Amino acid sequence: MAEIGAPIQANPGSLETFVIGASTYPGFQALDNLLAAGVPMDRLHVHLGFSAPSGTPKNPVVRYHPMLHSKVYYMELPGSHACAFIGSHNVTAFALGGSNGEAAVLIEGDVHAPEFAAVRGHVDEAERQATPYSPTMKEGFSWWFKEYVEGLKAEIRMPTDWVTVRTILAFSHIQGGRWPKTGETIYFEIPAGIEEIESLKTEVHLFLYDTMPADPMSAINAIGSASRRYTCQTIGVENGQGNREVSVDWVIDGGWALTPVPSATFRPSTPAGMQQVRAKVVDTSLPSYEYAFERERTGWDPVFSEIDVIDALEPPLLEEVARREARGGRQIDAWRLVTSLEPRSGSQLETDQKALNRAAPESGAFILVSLRRRRFGDKQGG
């Protein structure tokens, strides 16, 4: 507000209508400054959006609700001309100073043009729906916006029902003309050194596809389209070369095909760095889960760009108040583009993290080990 305040304060009668959709307490104080400069109070309005009773005693009114979100700046000029600046810019230092990524269009022409009639109609409707601004309501208006933000925070809905348990995920395609049955055993191999497999009777979730997905992440994203889903449980794990001969009904081979073993006797040739796993089919169906391949994080740290930088010391703003706002009210010299997020420094890794990395989606393998899972949806199976 500080950046556009000077021309309004120089000619307070020129401001015919100002409708604000939401603001902070300092933002409403800026409206008080306009009043002090001589802007008539009946020119200022606050649009409170739309809401409804929630039916709950804690928050009796729905806090996250539809609101006025348009940014329209309409000006009538001498000689029956007009212009309208329409876009995404709020009246903030970040927006007007070029720090935000914004987009807008400037329309210029005859004041009687139908485009300007539509703009005026939009502003008139916003004014009709709004409530008059009063300095005595700053606290109430700010509280209403705080409630909206709190409601928005609730809509983020970060899951809290993750279960920390290791699960082997096997993505495969059938080869042999029949499907696995309850009680049958499956042989496959995973990287050596992965712990907590046999001792906890780890579940194996087997997904069979008609056409094998292109990569592990595609397989995870296509879990819902798997033709068969099975719940299995590990019954044997052997490190190193392990057994020379195992009694199993199925084998997941190097091409990720699930192949029947006609004689029920399989002689593996286990590569170095792998361990043998046998699992039994306990259910020909499987609940729907979401899987995570890292332990729960306490937070994430941004990775800053050294190239994409916005100068915070010399923002293209005239008013000192706006220039301070463009620095976020802090003693910083630049805003840097955040290129990615990394687990917060000091986050603990698994003791067998190196082995787990070889069974993560990025490894390219189709037999993975997840560290957490959460259930959702209905049970599905074959």
Side-chain angles (χ1 to χ4, degrees):
M1 286 289 293
E3 189 67 9
I4 67 170
I8 296 175
Q9 291 170 357
N11 186 9
S14 65
L15 182 62
E16 183 173 327
T17 300
F18 189 90
V19 184
I20 188 170
S23 185
T24 61
Y25 195 90
F28 290 117
Q29 288 178 314
L31 295 187
D32 292 346
N33 294 336
L34 295 182
L35 294 176
V39 173
M41 189 178 297
D42 62 1
R43 308 284 177 90
L44 307 181
H45 312 271
V46 179
H47 196 294
L48 299 174
F50 294 77
S51 189
S54 68
T56 61
K58 182 178 180 180
N59 298 299
V61 176
V62 177
R63 298 187 295 173
Y64 178 61
H65 53 76
M67 63 186 299
L68 180 69
H69 201 253
S70 57
K71 290 85 176 178
V72 178
Y73 306 91
Y74 172 72
M75 288 151 279
E76 292 187 352
L77 310 172
S80 297
H81 285 80
C83 68
F85 183 68
I86 303 172
S88 61
H89 298 67
N90 286 312
V91 189
T92 65
F94 285 158
L96 299 180
S99 298
N100 284 356
E102 307 278 3
V105 295
L106 177 64
I107 303 175
E108 299 176 297
D110 188 275
V111 70
H112 303 295
E115 291 80 5
F116 289 129
V119 170
R120 289 190 292 269
H122 176 82
V123 174
D124 290 344
E125 179 63 9
E127 180 183 359
R128 183 191 69 79
Q129 295 177 350
T131 188
Y133 174 71
S134 169
T136 62
M137 282 299 296
K138 283 198 300 292
E139 188 172 354
F141 293 146
S142 302
W143 173 86
W144 183 247
F145 182 47
K146 178 183 74 69
E147 288 293 289
Y148 174 85
V149 173
E150 291 295 327
L152 177 60
K153 287 171 61 178
E155 290 298 313
I156 295 174
R157 299 182 184 180
M158 291 281 288
T160 58
D161 55 346
W162 288 103
V163 177
T164 301
V165 59
R166 295 193 173 195
T167 309
I168 298 176
L169 310 181
F171 304 101
S172 183
H173 57 101
I174 200 74
Q175 187 168 306
R178 70 178 187 90
W179 303 100
K181 301 176 183 177
T182 301
E184 291 188 324
T185 54
I186 301 171
Y187 173 93
F188 55 89
E189 295 166 352
I190 62 173
I194 295 179
E195 303 170 359
E196 301 179 25
I197 297 299
E198 184 177 23
S199 60
L200 299 182
K201 298 297 182 183
T202 305
E203 284 190 7
V204 179
H205 295 176
L206 173 64
F207 303 89
L208 299 181
Y209 297 88
D210 294 329
T211 301
M212 197 66 180
D215 53 70
M217 190 56 69
S218 298
I220 294 170
N221 294 335
I223 279 176
S225 63
S227 56
R228 295 288 192 279
R229 301 160 55 152
Y230 296 87
T231 304
C232 311
Q233 192 172 65
T234 57
I235 58 174
V237 178
E238 295 290 342
N239 280 297
Q241 295 302 306
N243 296 306
R244 294 179 180 274
E245 187 174 280
V246 292
S247 178
V248 292
D249 302 292
W250 297 86
V251 170
I252 299 179
D253 62 24
W256 315 112
L258 181 64
T259 306
V261 181
S263 63
T265 300
F266 177 69
R267 294 180 177 82
S269 179
T270 306
M274 302 296 287
Q275 60 182 323
Q276 302 172 352
V277 181
R278 287 176 295 121
K280 178 182 289 187
V281 178
V282 297
D283 199 332
T284 56
S285 63
L286 175 67
S288 295
Y289 288 102
E290 181 180 0
Y291 302 96
F293 296 88
E294 69 289 322
R295 67 165 55 200
E296 190 171 3
R297 306 294 186 186
T298 57
W300 300 81
D301 290 325
V303 177
F304 294 114
S305 171
E306 295 296 330
I307 300 173
D308 294 292
V309 179
I310 298 173
D311 185 3
L313 290 178
E314 297 295 333
L317 298 168
L318 299 177
E319 296 296 320
E320 181 55 33
V321 172
R323 292 165 70 87
R324 287 198 301 270
E325 290 178 357
R327 294 192 294 271
R330 295 170 173 83
Q331 297 298 320
I332 61 172
D333 57 3
W335 298 106
R336 298 182 180 277
L337 178 69
V338 177
T339 59
S340 62
L341 299 175
E342 291 183 344
R344 177 149 293 164
S345 300
S347 295
Q348 189 175 357
L349 298 176
E350 302 295 310
T351 57
D352 55 347
Q353 189 63 54
K354 288 185 178 179
L356 287 171
N357 290 342
R358 297 175 58 205
E362 296 79 7
S363 70
F366 282 88
I367 298 180
L368 312 175
V369 177
S370 77
L371 301 184
R372 294 181 291 144
R373 69 186 188 221
R374 58 185 292 264
R375 185 170 174 174
F376 64 91
D378 299 322
K379 196 172 184 180
Q380 299 183 21

